[in-house]
């Protein structure tokens, strides 16, 4: 067993031990506050390591925080949200890099030179290179008569996200930005990046090539519109 495997097992046991302790000793949990900086840094690093190995999302992170800390006051919840967003951002940045590397490796294989071979019918035929993916890496290359290639599902989903992102970046790059020019679909994507991927509004404005102030105004307008729709829906239900 490698040192990496040993380290991962040790981390896993530490996490399990921590979870078991928090479940059986609820009264001993530290308070989630600014005065507890060492515990906060340790927890953040622990969550990031766990996320990189197993994946993560907002629901899981909130569960871990409530297991490990007392979260009672509004300031505690505010700090919990700050940690959650920091871990989500770190994790998704890490996954983006992994997916980018895998995409580059696959494209390099697919761009390789085809070969000639004799098939089972004794005919001369062309075979094309195909990547053999295991985990998040290309581990080998095989050759088949079928030129089509189907990307791994997770990578394909990432590619669609990148395509959508680039679509809006191109719109914002080539057109003068204004509240009216930014549709609700783009705003919903902004909110997804903030809520589920941990982006700050400043980071998001840079990513989508719009100003921070414009983004703030457009999000506010979108939420006001949603509130009005919700009110209308409630009135309609009450009338029925």
């Amino acid at each position: 067993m490698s040192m990496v495997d040993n380290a991962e097992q040790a981390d896993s046991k530490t996490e399990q031990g921590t979870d078991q302790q928090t479940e059986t000793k609820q009264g001993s949990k530290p308070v989630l506050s600014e005065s507890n900086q060492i515990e906060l840094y340790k927890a953040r690093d622990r969550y990031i390591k766990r996320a990189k190995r197993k994946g993560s999302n907002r629901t899981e992170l909130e569960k871990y925080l409530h297991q490990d800390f007392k979260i009672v006051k509004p300031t505690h919840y505010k700090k919990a949200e700050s940690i959650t967003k920091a871990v989500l951002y770190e994790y998704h940045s890490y996954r983006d890099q992994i997916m980018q590397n895998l995409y580059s490796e696959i494209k390099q294989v697919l761009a390789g030179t085809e070969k000639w071979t004799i098939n089972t019918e004794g005919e001369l035929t062309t075979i094309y290179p195909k990547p053999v993916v295991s985990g998040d890496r290309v581990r080998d290359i095989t050759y088949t008569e079928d030129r089509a290639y189907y990307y791994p599902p997770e990578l394909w989903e990432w590619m669609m996200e990148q395509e959508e992102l680039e679509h809006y970046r191109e719109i914002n790059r080539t057109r003068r930005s204004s509240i009216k020019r930014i549709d609700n679909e783009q705003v919903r994507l902004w909110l997804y990046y903030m809520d589920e991927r941990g982006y700050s509004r400043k980071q998001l404005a840079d990513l989508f090539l719009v100003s921070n102030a414009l983004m703030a105004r457009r999000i506010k307008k979108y939420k006001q519109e949603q509130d009005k729709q919700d009110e209308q829906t409630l009135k309609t239900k009450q009338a029925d």
Side-chain angles (χ1 to χ4, degrees):
M1 184 178 290
S2 68
M3 292 180 65
V4 173
D5 292 332
N6 284 329
E8 289 188 352
Q9 281 195 1
D11 283 343
S12 179
K13 289 178 180 178
T14 300
E15 289 171 4
Q16 291 173 2
T18 301
D19 291 343
Q20 288 171 357
Q21 286 178 349
T22 53
E23 288 173 2
T24 57
K25 298 181 179 180
Q26 293 293 321
S28 64
K29 292 191 296 185
V31 174
L32 184 64
S33 67
E34 291 288 352
S35 60
N36 221 341
Q37 287 293 340
I38 294 178
E39 287 296 329
L40 296 185
Y41 285 127
K42 285 182 178 179
R44 174 176 163 169
D45 288 345
R46 188 165 65 248
Y47 301 152
I48 290 173
K49 288 179 182 178
R50 179 192 283 127
K52 288 181 177 179
R53 284 203 312 276
K54 302 179 181 179
S56 192
N57 56 47
R58 172 174 286 275
T59 301
E60 286 184 352
L61 286 171
E62 289 174 349
K63 181 189 74 173
Y64 295 142
L65 279 164
H66 280 277
Q67 284 178 350
D68 293 343
F69 295 96
K70 290 179 182 178
I71 303 176
V72 182
K73 299 179 180 179
T75 54
H76 300 166
Y77 282 97
K78 185 176 180 179
K79 190 60 185 176
E81 175 66 10
S82 175
I83 293 175
T84 297
K85 296 194 73 161
V87 174
L88 286 172
Y89 181 78
E90 185 81 17
Y91 167 63
H92 283 287
S93 297
Y94 165 80
R95 288 305 298 170
D96 282 344
Q97 189 59 58
I98 293 292
M99 291 295 101
Q100 181 62 61
N101 292 343
L102 178 57
Y103 176 74
S104 298
E105 289 178 358
I106 289 176
K107 293 292 287 184
Q108 185 175 359
V109 172
L110 295 177
T113 305
E114 64 268 19
K115 295 181 179 181
W116 293 93
T117 190
I118 304 297
N119 63 21
T120 54
E121 285 76 30
E123 299 170 336
L124 187 64
T125 186
T126 306
I127 53 176
Y128 303 94
K130 298 284 185 65
V132 178
V133 177
S134 177
D136 297 324
R137 297 295 304 275
V138 172
R139 305 294 179 179
D140 201 356
I141 300 174
T142 188
Y143 285 81
T144 68
E145 294 183 28
D146 182 11
R147 196 166 193 168
Y149 177 73
Y150 300 96
Y151 288 89
E154 184 180 3
L155 178 59
W156 180 255
E157 183 178 341
W158 176 84
M159 289 165 62
M160 294 301 98
E161 287 181 356
Q162 296 305 302
E163 186 175 304
E164 184 177 28
L165 170 61
E166 189 52 39
H167 166 71
Y168 286 120
R169 281 171 58 87
E170 186 62 23
I171 289 176
N172 297 337
R173 183 188 295 116
T174 57
R175 289 199 278 178
R176 188 173 64 84
S177 296
S178 69
I179 287 182
K180 292 182 179 179
R181 288 182 181 274
I182 297 174
D183 61 24
N184 285 345
E185 288 300 318
Q186 184 172 177
V187 179
R188 280 191 279 268
L189 189 60
W190 292 350
L191 294 174
Y192 164 76
Y193 268 75
M194 285 193 284
D195 293 340
E196 300 301 328
R197 300 189 60 146
Y199 275 74
S200 68
R201 197 174 64 224
K202 175 64 169 63
Q203 290 168 329
L204 205 55
D206 292 341
L207 182 65
F208 279 83
L209 305 178
V210 297
S211 71
N212 193 4
L214 173 62
M215 180 170 282
R217 293 198 304 272
R218 186 61 182 86
I219 289 175
K220 180 179 180 181
K221 182 174 183 292
Y222 173 81
K223 290 183 175 180
Q224 289 174 340
E225 291 171 350
Q226 294 303 302
D227 288 342
K228 287 181 180 179
Q229 288 182 11
D230 291 342
E231 286 181 19
Q232 187 59 44
T233 301
L234 181 60
K235 288 180 180 179
T236 301
K237 288 182 178 179
Q238 290 174 342
D240 293 342

